[in-house]
DNA sequence: AGAATTTTTAACCGCGACGAACATTTATTA
DNA sequence: TAATAAATGTTCGTCGCGGTTAAAAATTCT
């Protein structure tokens, strides 16, 4: 019998287990948050369950207790991340702005918002590598109730009516372009700056890019 | 002795080994190609070496023989992918075009070229998830000899001289925007179409988007 | 008290990267 | 041509990592 085995056996004898408070929701939320950061950092197969467990205030076993398995956890992390982002977008206020101003604002807000939501962007990157295999067909991830689209539809309609926007565009297309420019700025920073330097990521650089994004979207729709 | 063991023993006795041709470059290239597809599909940690080996015309042994380990292989796949892409970009011909036409052409060419280079895009996505940790500081991946940048510099300078482009922009910024719009169209197709449908990916949809990309870049620089 | 739920402790075990050893065939060089 | 080097195949083994589970203890609910 090795020393380790002996000490283990001894440990078992009279060490009383610690007591604890039950807090299902708290534990769940804690795991979810830690897992979000972990998956965003390392991806699905790159993340170690032990790694997640270590950073929670609970144990590895509880992950399986609440989420079944690794993929189940990833799934809920993803759904939760979309939910949060949707909420952030809802907060944008465009009341009383002219179509031109409103469109620039929504574009530049998206640019800034994406910069703030690095974890979310990374999760989306990862999910696209997986070809969206884990996106549940749930209501959470449907575009029907996207406030971004609704806002763009409204703005574009008003601009058309005012005769300052050219016809033939769609809200989804506008959303596409705005997203592309804002998303890429976060998603591809690593490789791009490795190749072309990081001047574009200085405060000035980012201010310039933000303005350009507004310019491009606006000029795209103006007659 | 099991049946399998018996048949193995029998196999060993008088079955002469097949002969082969030595082809180091061919074998290397074969592995590299298979590995590129595999890594592009599943990522670094998601890819199994056995999986790669199975799809090559050689054996797992040779992978380690030529590339050392998994990460070494990934590294060379990445460098090779950039090399190929660089070459594709070099092929673009802009002789005799006016700045406006040339700019639109380079933008729309990039859009199409990215669509054709899905594996490359996926490798870049993956490498960005890894925060470009594997991009060697080699010449291969430096922007100094990027023909895309040189072309844009030339076009922009000519447009400025002609008084049709507004000053204050840089070639890298233009490249950034063109890349963003073209890259996102490939990288985020999965999640985006899951949420907003896939009309934008029909032939018409893509034609529209391509034209928009040209419009946006052009209108961004025009006075 | 008894049942259901939450949490702890401690293993299990398969997969997959990697290496060893050896045989064999092809290319190169002296 | 002989000797040497390089390239390829085959087979087996190992070793740790990491996802997953078993079983029991503590807590909460009724």
């Amino acid at each position: 019998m090795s020393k380790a085995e002996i000490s283990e056996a001894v440990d078992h004898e009279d060490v009383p287990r610690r007591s604890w408070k039950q807090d299902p929701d708290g534990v769940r939320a804690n795991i979810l948050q830690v897992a979000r950061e972990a998956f965003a950092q390392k991806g699905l197969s790159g993340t170690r369950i032990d790694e997640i467990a270590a950073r929670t205030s609970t144990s590895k076993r509880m992950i399986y207790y609440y989420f079944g398995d690794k993929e189940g956890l990833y799934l809920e992390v993803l759904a939760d991340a979309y939910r949060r982002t949707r909420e952030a977008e809802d907060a944008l206020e465009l009341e009383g702005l002219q179509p031109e101003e409103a469109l620039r604002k929504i574009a530049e807000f998206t640019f800034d918002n994406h910069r703030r939501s690095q974890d979310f962007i990374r999760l989306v990157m990862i999910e696209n590598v997986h070809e969206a295999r884990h996106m549940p067909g749930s209501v959470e991830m449907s575009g029907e109730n996207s406030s971004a689209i609704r806002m763009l539809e409204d703005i574009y309609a008003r601009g058309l009516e005012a005769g300052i926007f050219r016809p033939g565009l769609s809200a989804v297309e506008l959303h596409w372009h705005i997203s592309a420019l804002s998303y890429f700025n976060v998603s591809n920073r690593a490789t791009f700056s490795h190749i072309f330097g990081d001047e574009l990521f200085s405060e000035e650089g980012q201010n310039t890019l933000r303005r350009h994004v507004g310019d491009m979207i606006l000029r795209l729709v103006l007659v």
Side-chain angles (χ1 to χ4, degrees), chain A:
Chain A
M1 203 179 199
S2 73
K3 276 184 181 173
E5 281 167 336
I6 291 173
S7 67
E8 272 177 16
V10 169
D11 282 349
H12 275 287
E13 282 181 13
D14 47 9
V15 171
R17 297 200 174 179
R18 266 215 309 285
S19 65
W20 65 78
K21 266 287 189 52
Q22 284 191 183
D23 181 15
D25 294 350
V27 169
R28 239 189 99 93
N30 178 224
I31 293 174
L32 219 46
Q33 179 209 326
V34 173
R36 177 172 59 246
E37 293 163 5
F39 282 130
Q41 208 60 30
K42 308 254 201 165
L44 177 50
S45 54
T47 295
R48 308 290 136 222
I49 292 279
D50 287 301
E51 190 67 22
I52 296 177
R55 297 191 196 171
T56 60
S57 51
T58 175
S59 72
K60 177 159 69 161
R61 183 64 181 82
M62 297 313 287
I63 296 176
Y64 289 92
Y65 183 72
Y66 283 116
F67 299 95
D69 60 4
K70 194 186 190 181
E71 196 155 318
L73 175 58
Y74 175 80
L75 226 83
E76 297 225 26
V77 162
L78 198 60
D80 181 62
Y82 268 97
R83 205 177 306 123
R84 288 162 172 264
T85 296
R86 182 77 30 107
E87 280 166 13
E89 283 175 359
D90 292 346
L92 182 59
E93 273 295 348
L94 297 175
E95 312 292 333
L97 292 183
Q98 295 305 308
E100 287 189 66
E101 303 165 321
L103 187 54
R104 177 179 289 276
K105 182 164 183 184
I106 200 173
E108 301 194 355
F109 164 82
T110 302
F111 184 86
D112 287 330
N113 195 45
H114 277 47
R115 285 182 69 194
R116 274 184 246 112
S117 316
Q118 311 240 0
D119 276 357
F120 174 69
I121 301 282
R122 293 179 65 84
L123 286 174
V124 175
M125 292 165 68
I126 289 159
E127 188 54 14
N128 272 295
V129 168
H130 294 281
E131 275 163 1
R133 213 173 304 135
H134 311 88
M135 305 230 331
S138 71
V139 213
E140 252 145 357
M141 308 197 193
S142 151
E144 301 314 315
N145 43 15
S146 161
S147 55
I149 296 291
R150 278 200 310 276
M151 288 174 181
L152 284 170
E153 276 169 346
D154 177 62
I155 293 170
Y156 184 58
R158 284 164 49 213
L160 275 185
E161 208 167 350
I164 58 176
F165 288 173
R166 61 165 163 162
L169 299 167
S170 80
V172 174
E173 287 162 6
L174 292 177
H175 181 60
W176 178 262
H177 297 310
I178 294 171
S179 297
L181 295 164
S182 303
Y183 178 98
F184 185 87
N185 184 53
V186 177
S187 71
N188 282 48
R189 166 171 185 166
T191 55
F192 197 95
S193 76
H194 186 279
I195 298 178
F196 298 105
D198 53 4
E199 307 94 50
L200 292 182
F201 298 99
S202 65
E203 264 316 290
E204 299 165 59
Q206 290 285 291
N207 289 338
T208 303
L209 290 183
R210 183 193 304 106
R211 184 161 27 79
H212 285 176
V213 171
D215 289 354
M216 291 173 83
I217 298 298
L218 208 47
R219 289 175 176 222
L220 173 66
V221 301
L222 288 174
V223 285

